[in-house]
């Protein structure tokens, strides 16, 4: 059986010089203080497999799934270790060698990654069902009836984490093509740019309003917005969870949906997706039919805050919100894409907002894709740590640019019983533009 780690360029495998500078930035190491839970320990395991000194067994797989994939170690590393690649290859290795051993786990992953996320219509169908379940009050009845106590603890935990589904998904809210001046908020004359908008998979179900906000902000800044109604999952969930071949297939499908050559930028408002989308060039480099388009794509993918910074977005004249706001850096924005300044600048340009610093703003909140589902204890510890810091700022709003973080923080705030709101920065900007009318 071939090996992802043995096939990986050896210059990537041997970058680590064991200095340990990454250790204090690693959330799992700092919780356990065990070397094997550190970036250095994990990289040693990966290298031992690449060198043929170790076989990927269950202990290796468990360790790779205890890692958050937060990439804080990559930011801290003076040797330029490419932990993104190592992590993806290590999880793919774990799936190839160990993943098939546990039938319940296989069933869960098959349903989630192969069935649900494979076609957007399936996800939307489940989303519609959940919306009816929640909006009709059935969810409240089921919860208060005590029937959920009959479920295994893991399923009870899953039910409690079910996000609130929006009644309308992105295609109901955004036309396939919108030009400045064509709708709210008022545009600034002639379109200066033509951009594609990615609406995501989970984002489309639970934060479709953020997609609308993103389109509005782009329109207000002279961008014609092209939003294909069916786009599908970008495959970041698959790449981060060891399904590398599936991730490639999803990347090809997404490329087919956009006329990349005739767009100035492709905009994402989900940090976890953005950091994966920017690597399509690497993902498809050996695919002769897609490699060139993937390179163009990777050059044009921009986080919304990054794009707004590049085009020197217009500061709103007023805002309906007067509040202290703090900002949580989503790992895949600050570590994965090195974007930290632009979202803060965005917030500072909105009148009425007092931007307060957040202690450990770059420390993972425990969301990390589906980490909070598969490692609930560690995820809960990190969530509490984040909520403690947010509460200490005295802010009434915490802004963050990733749906997973938004959900994790919203759940943590609700459990704490605070009135602090968690919002995407682009929502605050869209609200400010709308208040100008
Ligand atoms: S990705 Fe995050 S959790 Fe994993 S080793 Fe690096 S710092 Fe630690
Ligand atoms: S990953 Fe980087 S920071 Fe961490 S031990 Fe290796 S070389 Fe040092």
């Amino acid at each position: 059986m071939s090996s992802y780690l043995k096939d990986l360029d050896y210059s990537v495998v041997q970058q680590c010089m064991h200095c340990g500078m990454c250790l204090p930035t690693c959330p799992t190491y700092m919780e356990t203080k065990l070397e094997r839970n550190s970036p250095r320990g994990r990289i040693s395991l990966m290298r031992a497999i690449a060198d043929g000194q170790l076989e990927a067994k269950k202990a290796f797989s468990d360790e790779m799934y205890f890692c958050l994939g937060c990439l804080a170690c990559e930011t801290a590393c003076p040797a330029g270790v490419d932990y993104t690649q190592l992590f993806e290859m290590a999880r793919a290795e774990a799936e190839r060698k160990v993943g098939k051993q546990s039938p319940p786990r296989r069933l869960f992953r098959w349903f989630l990654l192969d069935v649900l996320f494979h076609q957007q219509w399936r996800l939307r169908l489940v989303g519609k069902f959940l919306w009816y379940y929640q909006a009709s009050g059935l969810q409240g009845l089921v919860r208060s009836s005590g029937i959920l106590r009959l479920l295994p603890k893991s399923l009870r935990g899953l039910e409690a984490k079910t996000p609130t589904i929006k009644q309308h998904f992105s295609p109901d809210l955004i036309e396939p093509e919108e030009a400045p001046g064509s709708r709210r908020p008022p545009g600034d004359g002639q379109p200066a740019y033509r951009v594609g908008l990615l609406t995501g998979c989970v984002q489309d179900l639970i934060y479709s309003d953020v997609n609308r906000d993103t389109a509005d902000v782009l329109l207000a800044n002279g961008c014609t917005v092209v939003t294909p109604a069916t786009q599908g999952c970008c495959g970041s969930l698959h790449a981060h969870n060891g399904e590398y071949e599936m991730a490639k297939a999803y990347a090809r499908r997404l490329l087919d949906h956009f006329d990349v050559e005739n767009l100035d930028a492709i905009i994402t408002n989900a940090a976890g997706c953005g950091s994966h989308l920017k690597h399509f060039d690497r993902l498809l480099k050996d695919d002769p039919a897609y490699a060139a388009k993937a390179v163009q794509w990777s050059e044009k993918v921009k986080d919304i805050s990054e794009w707004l910074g590049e085009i020197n977005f217009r500061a709103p004249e007023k805002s309906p919100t007067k509040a202290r706001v703090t900002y949580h850096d989503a790992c895949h924005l600050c570590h994965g894409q090195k974007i930290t300044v632009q979202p803060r600048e965005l917030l500072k340009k909105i009148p009425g907002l007092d931007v307060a610093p957040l202690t450990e703003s770059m420390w993972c909140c425990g969301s990390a894709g589906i980490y909070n589902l598969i490692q609930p204890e560690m995820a809960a510890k990190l969530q509490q740590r984040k909520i403690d810091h947010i509460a200490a700022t005295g802010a009434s709003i915490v802004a963050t640019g990733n749906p997973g973080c938004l959900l994790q923080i919203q759940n943590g705030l609700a459990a704490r019983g605070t009135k602090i709101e968690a919002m995407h920065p682009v929502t605050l900007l869209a609200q400010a533009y709308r208040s100008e009318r």
Side-chain angles (χ1 to χ4, degrees):
M1 198 186 282
S2 66
S3 157
Y4 280 102
L5 285 168
K6 282 182 187 159
D7 291 347
L8 185 58
D9 183 343
Y10 200 69
S11 66
V12 177
V13 178
Q14 51 100 64
Q15 272 169 323
C16 176
M17 55 187 187
H18 315 293
C19 66
M21 287 182 70
C22 53
L23 268 57
T25 70
C26 174
T28 54
Y29 174 76
M30 291 307 282
E31 284 291 338
T32 67
K33 293 285 164 52
L34 295 173
E35 175 72 12
R36 71 166 186 273
N37 300 151
S38 76
R40 186 173 62 187
R42 289 175 178 132
I43 293 169
S44 294
L45 289 175
M46 296 174 202
R47 185 167 179 174
I49 289 176
D51 288 344
Q53 293 165 354
L54 188 74
E55 270 297 304
K57 298 236 166 80
K58 186 171 179 306
F60 174 76
S61 175
D62 289 349
E63 190 49 60
M64 295 310 127
Y65 279 96
F66 190 50
C67 170
L68 292 144
C70 68
L71 308 180
C73 48
E74 203 171 276
T75 298
C77 179
V81 159
D82 186 349
Y83 195 81
T84 306
Q85 263 205 88
L86 286 166
F87 171 73
E88 287 182 0
M89 292 303 109
R91 282 201 171 174
E93 182 93 14
E95 284 316 308
R96 185 174 275 180
K97 302 281 171 60
V98 194
K100 294 178 178 52
Q101 288 171 6
S102 160
R105 183 177 177 279
R106 269 179 75 191
L107 187 68
F108 171 71
R109 286 175 60 93
W110 169 79
F111 179 70
L112 190 73
L113 301 175
D114 291 37
V115 177
L116 209 51
F117 281 81
H118 186 60
Q119 295 287 353
Q120 201 163 26
W121 67 263
R122 289 181 191 153
L123 208 55
R124 286 180 178 156
L125 191 68
V126 172
K128 277 287 168 214
F129 169 79
L130 279 173
W131 179 77
Y132 281 115
Y133 173 66
Q134 293 170 342
S136 65
L138 199 57
Q139 184 180 48
L141 272 179
V142 168
R143 284 181 174 175
S144 59
S145 71
I147 200 169
L148 293 172
R149 282 200 292 272
L150 299 174
L151 291 175
K153 197 174 163 208
S154 56
L155 285 183
R156 278 205 310 273
L158 267 184
E159 199 281 338
K161 290 190 182 106
T162 313
T164 304
I165 307 293
K166 287 275 183 280
Q167 182 178 6
H168 299 292
F169 304 150
S170 305
D172 298 332
L173 305 177
I174 309 171
E175 297 292 327
E177 182 161 335
E178 295 180 6
S182 65
R183 53 176 297 147
R184 59 197 170 133
D188 282 348
Q190 290 302 306
Y193 308 98
R194 184 175 174 81
V195 303
L197 175 60
L198 291 155
T199 49
C201 47
V202 174
Q203 173 90 355
D204 179 46
L205 302 191
I206 62 176
Y207 295 118
S208 51
D209 54 333
V210 177
N211 286 336
R212 181 67 254 171
D213 293 337
T214 307
D216 282 349
V217 163
L218 290 164
L219 291 169
N221 283 282
C223 301
T224 294
V225 184
V226 180
T227 314
T230 52
Q231 305 183 8
C233 170
C234 70
S236 77
L237 195 61
H238 302 75
H240 297 156
N241 285 280
E243 298 296 346
Y244 208 60
E245 299 312 315
M246 247 192 264
K248 286 185 190 172
Y250 285 27
R252 287 186 202 102
R253 189 176 62 184
L254 199 53
L255 289 178
D256 287 340
H257 276 90
F258 285 86
D259 179 12
V260 180
E261 201 166 334
N262 291 310
L263 294 171
D264 295 303
I266 298 140
I267 307 298
T268 174
N269 53 25
C273 302
S275 105
H276 173 67
L277 292 157
K278 287 181 176 178
H279 287 132
F280 275 13
D281 53 349
R282 189 161 75 196
L283 191 66
L284 297 175
K285 69 179 188 322
D286 298 323
D287 183 332
Y290 284 90
K293 192 172 182 183
V295 169
Q296 226 179 14
W297 170 275
S298 292
E299 283 165 1
K300 292 188 178 183
V301 169
K302 307 278 175 191
D303 180 76
I304 179 66
S305 64
E306 183 183 17
W307 174 247
L308 290 172
E310 274 183 29
I311 63 173
N312 192 20
F313 75 99
R314 176 172 71 77
E317 287 154 18
K318 50 184 181 170
S319 163
T321 314
K322 294 224 176 324
R324 172 174 287 189
V325 57
T326 193
Y327 177 73
H328 159 68
D329 288 275
C331 298
H332 282 254
L333 202 55
C334 66
H335 303 305
Q337 300 178 62
K338 312 297 179 219
I339 294 173
T340 56
V341 174
Q342 299 93 322
R344 290 178 169 82
E345 290 301 313
L346 184 159
L347 293 170
K348 282 181 191 157
K349 274 171 94 166
I350 301 175
L353 294 189
D354 161 29
V355 184
L358 175 66
T359 303
E360 290 186 352
S361 68
M362 288 160 81
W363 201 258
C364 181
C365 66
S367 167
I370 55 171
Y371 191 88
N372 57 356
L373 302 182
I374 59 176
Q375 301 283 357
E377 279 179 30
M378 178 59 78
K381 278 187 193 166
L382 295 171
Q383 185 187 47
Q384 289 314 307
R385 187 171 175 145
K386 184 61 66 180
I387 301 302
D388 286 345
H389 288 315
I390 292 169
T393 63
S396 57
I397 297 171
V398 52
T400 189
N402 188 49
C405 306
L406 267 179
L407 191 59
Q408 175 84 342
I409 291 173
Q410 280 169 345
N411 286 343
L413 292 170
R416 187 69 64 92
T418 83
K419 288 199 165 62
I420 304 171
E421 280 186 279
M423 299 168 87
H424 196 294
V426 84
T427 295
L428 288 158
L429 186 56
Q431 288 176 352
Y433 286 140
R434 287 184 200 123
S435 75
E436 292 174 341
R437 281 181 290 173

